[in-house]
Amino acid sequence: MSVSFDRAASYYDETRSLPAEAFDQILTALADRMRPAGAALEIGAGTGRYLVPLRRAGVRMVGVDLSRPMLARLREKDSTAPVVLGDATALPFSDGAFGSALAVHVLHLIPTWRQALAELARVVKRRGRLFVDAGGGDNPVEQRFFAEAGAKPEHPGLRRGDDLDHEMGLLGADREPKVEVPVTHELRVVDYIEQLEAGLYSRCWTMDAETLRRAGAATRDWAAEALGDIEAPIRVERTVTINVYRLG
């Protein structure tokens, strides 16, 4: 089954935020390419991190999500946003209903992610665009934490950009220039370990409290030795990448 984020609705935005300037760049790039095509669909719309500001930027967004609590948070931000409680692998829309579609932070949570892509290709009109992120790899702290917990290291769905490109090719889509924005975070390693230990991320949800506590303690010991002062702020640089495909 796809992973529902019911339990994360109250804290999701705080743990997935991006620096404001970088996020504005991403939203502007998306809006400029989505707005002219008319109505757009976002699967895994969640709390509306993307959907709500894209609507403010003039994109006629419609959202779909499995989680009623997540959609409730979205409607707190935008009470008129059109949203549907539904499954990305069986979308309740007619063929060609949208000019474009967005899938961000969701396909890695869907075991049958290929079916979700096929549904997006079905509900987006010919020559419409799909905007899809392939997710990112684990950082060393995550890798150590899940190893200490004895947990499966991968998400249940999409894991690699190459797999995404291959599947989109089978669907007859052509690759277009990506949306790529450099992002710099400042964080403390100890804070991130505490978030993992508190079970704030979906791969922690099958673990009991003692496993989380044990993995957190072991990861703190490892990080202090391998990384130095885990309470000191560090700069982390990465690139947010959203792949863009035009349907045939």
Side-chain angles (χ1 to χ4, degrees), residues 14 16 192-193 200 219:
E14 288 72 21
R16 272 73 171 183
Y192 186 55
I193 295 173
L200 299 189
T219 303

Side-chain angles (χ1 to χ4, degrees), residues 62-90:
V62 176
V64 172
D65 201 280
L66 278 176
S67 171
R68 192 181 300 275
M70 293 282 276
L71 290 179
R73 290 298 293 265
L74 185 159
R75 294 301 293 274
E76 289 175 4
K77 301 174 186 177
D78 184 342
S79 62
T80 64
V83 296
V84 175
L85 187 68
D87 191 329
T89 65

